[in-house]
Amino acid sequence: MQKIMITGATGLLGRTLYSTLVNDFDVVGTGFSRATAPLYQLDLSNQNAVIDFLEHHQPDALIHAAAERKPDVCENEPEQTIALNVAASEFLAKQCAQRDIALIFISTDYVFDGKTPPYMESAQTNPLNLYGQSKQQAEQAVLAHSTRHSVVRVPVLYGDVSELAESAVSVIATQISATQTTAHDNWAVRYPTHVEDIAFTLRDLLKCPENLGGIFHISDNQAMSKYDMACIMADILGYPKSLLKPLDEPSQSAARPHDCALADSRLKQLGIAHGREFKQAIQSVLTAI
């Protein structure tokens, strides 16, 4: 049985990767401050600890899902962002290459500028903010170390959360009100994707490891703004949509791309496709909290 290691296994995506992959593989999950058994605590900035962990567990593949993913936090804490998103990723890529471990690096649609969608896996990257730039640099470092290493670009994610604020999608439910007017971005086009569909896709890829290597895009195809998502959540929660105001100009401090639609051409060639209808899926998330 293949042994799969996951970094960031305490996070939104990492938890679902762990619970999904454990059915088919021997899975070793790691986290930092929130890791409790059966997960292991591992500080990715401690290179000796990383080496010891890889030597002890000897995984066949490593999914690197740990990252600083909030663009505004990245802009405000650039050194911390580069240390985790770039330096730790490059070190893992090097150590995995030396041990013949296939690294799967989780990247983002934000490596693109959003001006000419949809983006193929081979499209030129041109990130607009530090988050995207850090992921672009890490992608290049990961791919340079081994042809067996993979970059997996994903869009904004949602799924079963420990709190609604954990996802940029479900947090919208905390921002809308039954009695007050609230404003929501209606400029950027997003493609919310359920973390379980990412996990199912990576499971399918790992079952045929000869397909790994290079860049993959995983994305659902329902285009919507945060305002669109807010309208759907208002319906679910029984709030009046008349209280929702669309913002048709960019509003966040970190620059955001307009539309980074990811074309998943490699997955189509492999016959791998997992997706779900957004309204039904987000209803399950909101009613579970």
Side-chain angles (χ1 to χ4, degrees):
M1 182 183 284
Q2 279 193 79
K3 181 182 279 191
I4 312 297
M5 176 178 160
I6 302 169
T7 69
T10 56
L12 176 67
L13 175 59
R15 288 198 308 272
T16 301
L17 286 170
Y18 187 93
S19 62
T20 301
L21 298 179
V22 77
N23 297 316
D24 296 279
F25 306 97
D26 179 8
V27 182
V28 179
T30 73
F32 183 45
S33 56
R34 295 179 290 172
T36 55
L39 302 181
Y40 295 88
Q41 194 162 44
L42 180 64
D43 181 356
L44 295 177
S45 68
N46 183 336
Q47 295 186 345
N48 289 330
V50 170
I51 290 171
D52 289 345
F53 197 91
L54 292 175
E55 289 288 339
H56 178 73
H57 291 279
Q58 298 188 342
D60 298 292
L62 191 164
I63 303 174
H64 181 32
E68 177 50 67
R69 57 175 181 78
K70 296 177 181 175
D72 293 332
V73 173
C74 292
E75 297 295 328
N76 294 326
E77 300 176 6
E79 289 181 12
Q80 186 176 314
T81 297
I82 296 300
L84 177 57
N85 288 7
V86 183
S89 302
E90 182 167 14
F91 184 74
L92 277 174
K94 180 180 178 182
Q95 296 304 317
C96 285
Q98 290 175 359
R99 293 166 176 77
D100 201 28
I101 301 167
L103 177 69
I104 299 175
F105 172 69
I106 305 298
S107 190
T108 173
D109 57 350
Y110 271 28
V111 296
F112 297 113
D113 59 20
K115 295 174 183 175
T116 56
Y119 291 94
M120 303 286 281
E121 291 86 351
S122 58
Q124 187 71 36
T125 55
N126 185 35
L128 300 182
N129 56 40
L130 182 63
Y131 170 60
Q133 289 161 5
S134 70
K135 286 293 196 174
Q136 177 197 47
Q137 290 172 33
E139 283 188 5
Q140 293 167 350
V142 165
L143 295 174
H145 278 289
S146 173
T147 55
R148 293 189 67 218
H149 289 352
S150 305
V151 164
V152 172
R153 296 181 182 135
V154 301
V156 65
L157 302 178
Y158 71 102
D160 293 336
V161 290
S162 55
E163 56 176 355
L164 291 172
E166 193 176 17
S167 159
V169 174
S170 56
V171 73
I172 295 169
T174 70
Q175 299 163 347
I176 60 179
S177 167
T179 57
Q180 293 181 312
T181 300
T182 56
H184 306 272
D185 180 72
N186 196 38
W187 176 80
V189 183
R190 312 302 297 273
Y191 299 84
T193 299
H194 200 287
V195 286
E196 194 172 55
D197 293 324
I198 304 291
F200 288 157
T201 303
L202 293 184
R203 175 199 63 193
D204 292 352
L205 286 171
L206 285 163
K207 282 183 175 180
C208 300
E210 67 274 12
N211 290 328
L212 290 172
I215 300 170
F216 293 90
H217 287 173
I218 308 176
S219 177
D220 219 316
N221 55 12
Q222 298 159 85
M224 57 187 74
S225 66
K226 287 188 174 182
Y227 171 75
D228 295 328
M229 296 182 221
C231 289
I232 290 171
M233 291 184 215
D235 273 342
I236 292 168
L237 297 169
Y239 295 171
K241 285 192 287 189
S242 57
L243 292 175
L244 302 176
K245 175 187 171 188
L247 294 172
D248 294 318
E249 295 292 331
S251 55
Q252 288 103 338
S253 57
R256 258 71 165 184
H258 173 59
D259 184 348
C260 290
L262 298 174
D264 54 354
S265 57
R266 285 193 71 190
L267 293 178
K268 281 193 176 74
Q269 290 168 3
L270 296 169
I272 299 173
H274 297 282
R276 62 193 68 195
E277 200 273 323
F278 178 76
K279 182 171 184 177
Q280 189 177 353
I282 197 65
Q283 184 166 5
S284 297
V285 171
L286 298 183
T287 53
I289 286 288

